[in-house]
């Protein structure tokens, strides 16, 4: 699968974990230099606290378009060290 935003591939992997319809890519599959830190978080009752990062591709920024669970709850252990995308990022 590929994650594409602003006309560029930002992640690519055959090792995908799908949870609630979202494709979680290995963090190592994300192209270096496209992620910037964000202070935004959200809480899922069964996965834990999600942290976000923004995309910076081709001079355009997509705020909080990437999320991950640095310390997922045990029910979501399979998404540790993985990231998912939204906000216009095409995953196919």
């Amino acid at each position: 699968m590929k994650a594409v935003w602003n006309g560029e591939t930002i992640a690519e992997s055959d090792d995908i974990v799908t949870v609630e319809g979202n494709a979680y890519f290995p963090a190592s599959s994300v192209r270096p230099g496209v992620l910037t830190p964000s202070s935004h978080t959200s809480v899922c009752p069964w996965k834990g606290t999600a942290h976000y990062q923004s995309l910076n591709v081709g001079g355009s920024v997509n705020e909080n378009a990437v999320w991950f669970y640095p310390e997922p709850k045990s029910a979501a252990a399979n998404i540790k060290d993985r990231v998912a995308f939204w906000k216009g990022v095409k995953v196919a």
Side-chain angles (χ1 to χ4, degrees):
M1 293 189 93
K2 288 184 182 182
V4 177
W5 185 71
N6 202 25
E8 295 189 36
T9 299
I10 54 175
E12 185 171 5
S13 179
D14 292 328
D15 178 18
I16 302 297
V17 174
T18 303
V19 176
E20 296 181 326
N22 296 301
Y24 284 81
F25 288 72
S28 61
S29 71
V30 178
R31 195 173 94 202
V34 298
L35 300 179
T36 56
S38 169
S39 60
H40 185 70
T41 62
S42 64
V43 177
C44 171
W46 72 273
K47 289 183 292 223
T49 300
H51 292 248
Y52 292 77
Q53 294 179 308
S54 298
L55 288 171
N56 188 335
V57 177
S60 296
V61 175
N62 191 344
E63 295 288 332
N64 303 318
V66 182
W67 78 89
F68 64 100
Y69 292 85
E71 296 179 21
K73 292 184 176 184
S74 59
N78 60 334
I79 59 172
K80 181 155 178 63
D81 298 323
R82 294 180 174 274
V83 300
F85 303 94
W86 68 319
K87 296 182 77 175
V89 177
K90 305 282 188 219
V91 175

